[in-house]
Amino acid sequence: MKAPVVEERGVVVIGGGPAGLAAALGARRAGAEDVLVLEREHRLGGILPQCIHDGFGLFLYKETISGPEYAERLAEDAVREGVLAETGAMVLDLTPDRLLRVNSAGGYRLIKAGAVVLAMGCRERTREMIEIPGTRPAGIFTAGSAQNLVNLQNLRIGNEVVILGSGDIGLIMARRLTFEGMKVRGVFELMPWPNGLERNVRQCLRDFGIPLELSSTVVEVRGRDRVAGVVTARVDEFFRPVAGTEREVACDTLLLSVGLIPENELSKRAGVELSPLTGGAVVDETLMTSVPGIFSCGNVLHIHDVADWASFEGFEAGRHAAGFLVCGAAAGPRVRITPGENVRYVLPQAAASGAAGLELSFRVTAPARGMWVTARGAATGASYYRKKFARLVPSEMQKIKIRKAVGEDIEVACHG
Amino acid sequence: MDDRLTCILCPIGCELEVSRVGDKFEVKGNECDKGLAFAADEVLHPKRNLATSVPASGTTARMISVRLTGGVPREMIFPILAEIAKLRPALSVRRGQVLIANVLGTGVDVIATRTLLF
């Protein structure tokens, strides 16, 4: 049998969304000659083409544009700057030594990459993952799939809708479905605070008088062939439904906006270490994963609330992937960066010992007002960062920069 | 303080405290100058952008997404949506192409937000 031909490539980016396209641009701008983006959809941009609302691009393009515009501009930038982008190309497997098995228009093929950037984005959590009891009728959608059906496929998904979860896509869809003549009965959120951005609570719910009920959930779905209603209930501090607070809400559609999960199936195949806190890869300050030459950025690394930040992370990952082609991975001692009090996670989780100018991304666990964010040395207790924040909420990712060189493990915390 | 607002001009979402002092507004909490104008507008006359999508002429689901070039008074949202719903843009459409100029006299245009070639 003839051995299959292996196509040799420089930087291969898996996923052509806001992070992947930026990663490809970052790699080109850092001097990589051969940069290939593999996108499984037939259109570049990832999830952006269906995000038709405005609010994108403020940081990258210095103006507020819609998702499709952001996607087209970034794709045009990438192609103009010599990135090769292939749509309809699905990566089936990735090995630790960066061999990719790809199914594409030309058929099945093998690609050996000098460096790989993971930019596969995320998936939505489903009804099954949050285990809502009741019947199994038609009319239950994740918010993102509803967005796809309405914005890209011109379908009417129902008449009266209840939304479980106050993630940004759920809030955006509350407004979108109101525009399409649907009646949104209410948004129910398990936590005592909204899970989406404040601006979306205001402009998507309050503008249209859509009720937002916090510390509430859906405890049952009713209906045989089609959703006929849901039963909601208030929850206690341990998120258990409170008996006697059940209320039936008539509706024919239930939308779920209950969280996003980084899509790391390929990362696992490649042996990339994942963090239980983010669901994404464990990375160092160059966004390199535990597998040398494999980098990660965007929503596959951790969930972002703004596409621009996914792109900025992409530029960095691409730049470092290009560097890896030339220099390989840096050896030497490492420090660990861990979350402390009221910090859900912090990225990167590791850095080269002595690195200065570290940029950290983190999210708080619970809303905080007038609190200090600090980074302290685990061994010496030395202060590496200290700043007071007027307002911190879990739905908004924060970025801080540590100017000093970090020569020991540090912990990032938020406290009074 | 008269009102607590969330600035919606960008994803930072500054929390603004607006106080009326005579015929002027005093604003606290804004991280940029745009927040000042937003706060005054939001108290006196809130403005919003809007986005929707319409099928291209002769198709059922080759969707062209559209938005406005700027904010309009909030009460104009549904009248403008009704105007946009009548649109069936002919292919090809380019990103940024004006589909309705000065929609309902608001001074803003309805533009395509994607490129869709025939």
Side-chain angles (χ1 to χ4, degrees), chain A residues 18 20 148 176 360:
Chain A
N148 185 296
R176 185 73 188 95
L360 308 182

Side-chain angles (χ1 to χ4, degrees), chain B residues 2-3 7 13 15 30 39 42 48 55 57-58 60 62 64 73 75 80 93-94 96 101 108:
Chain B
D2 298 324
D3 204 353
C7 181
E15 199 170 83
N30 54 307
E42 189 70 9
R48 296 288 184 266
S57 175
T60 52
R62 293 198 69 192
I64 294 159
E75 64 273 15
I80 290 173
V93 172
R94 299 251 168 214
V108 306

Side-chain angles (χ1 to χ4, degrees), chain B residues 61-95:
Chain B
R62 293 198 69 192
M63 302 304 284
I64 294 159
S65 48
V66 306
R67 68 168 168 94
L68 306 179
T69 49
V72 293
R74 214 159 50 181
E75 64 273 15
M76 292 303 291
I77 288 176
F78 286 97
I80 290 173
L81 284 170
E83 288 302 302
I84 295 172
K86 296 177 200 161
L87 278 179
R88 289 293 177 272
L91 294 179
S92 301
V93 172
R94 299 251 168 214
R95 179 177 88 241

Side-chain angles (χ1 to χ4, degrees), chain B residues 10-22:
Chain B
C10 88
I12 292 174
C14 293
E15 199 170 83
L16 308 176
E17 291 184 359
V18 189
S19 313
R20 203 162 193 154
V21 184

Side-chain angles (χ1 to χ4, degrees), chain A residues 124-340:
Chain A
E124 291 175 282
R125 290 177 77 200
T126 62
R127 174 185 178 179
E128 284 65 35
M129 296 166 89
I130 57 169
E131 300 176 346
I132 308 172
T135 53
R136 289 278 183 274
I140 305 175
F141 304 91
T142 57
S145 63
Q147 189 179 46
N148 185 296
L149 295 170
V150 172
N151 291 345
L152 297 182
Q153 303 189 50
N154 206 22
L155 294 171
R156 187 180 178 94
I157 61 164
N159 297 310
E160 292 178 296
V161 60
V162 163
I163 301 178
L164 175 61
S166 58
D168 284 309
I169 316 166
L171 300 177
I172 295 282
M173 284 310 291
R175 175 177 63 180
R176 185 73 188 95
L177 296 175
T178 302
F179 284 2
E180 290 296 316
M182 283 181 77
K183 176 77 190 157
V184 181
R185 292 277 173 222
V187 176
F188 296 85
E189 168 60 50
L190 188 70
M191 304 301 282
W193 53 79
N195 193 22
L197 299 175
E198 270 303 318
R199 71 190 289 260
N200 286 333
V201 174
R202 187 168 187 98
Q203 64 178 350
C204 299
L205 300 187
R206 256 178 258 158
D207 274 8
F208 304 100
I210 298 169
L212 170 61
E213 297 200 18
L214 301 172
S215 297
S216 300
T217 191
V218 168
V219 292
E220 189 189 337
V221 175
R222 290 187 176 165
R224 210 178 77 93
D225 298 322
R226 176 80 196 189
V227 173
V230 298
V231 179
T232 65
R234 298 199 47 85
V235 297
D236 64 17
E237 58 186 307
F238 305 107
F239 311 118
R240 294 175 307 207
V242 178
T245 64
E246 296 88 354
R247 183 159 66 88
E248 174 152 7
V249 183
C251 61
D252 60 10
T253 305
L254 174 64
L255 242 59
L256 302 176
S257 181
V258 291
L260 301 168
I261 301 162
E263 190 177 348
N264 275 297
E265 296 312 314
L266 284 172
S267 323
K268 287 181 203 160
R269 302 275 307 173
V272 166
E273 184 192 346
L274 300 181
S275 156
L277 297 178
T278 58
V282 171
V283 292
D284 65 14
E285 80 279 20
T286 69
L287 298 170
M288 191 165 80
T289 67
S290 60
V291 179
I294 299 183
F295 297 78
S296 180
C297 60
N299 278 350
V300 78
L301 179 58
H302 60 133
I303 301 302
H304 294 253
D305 26 75
V306 179
D308 298 53
W309 299 138
S311 291
F312 285 124
E313 205 169 75
F315 289 129
E316 282 300 295
R319 181 166 75 84
H320 291 296
F324 179 86
L325 290 185
V326 182
C327 313
R334 321 218 107 204
V335 298
R336 294 195 313 146
I337 304 160
T338 51

Side-chain angles (χ1 to χ4, degrees), chain A residues 104-117:
Chain A
S104 53
Y108 174 78
R109 69 191 210 266
L110 298 174
I111 297 176
K112 179 77 206 268
V116 169
V117 181

Side-chain angles (χ1 to χ4, degrees), chain A residues 382-393:
Chain A
S383 173
Y384 289 90
Y385 181 90
R386 185 174 158 80
K387 190 185 165 192
K388 196 165 195 172
F389 282 70
R391 179 176 137 269
L392 292 164
V393 288

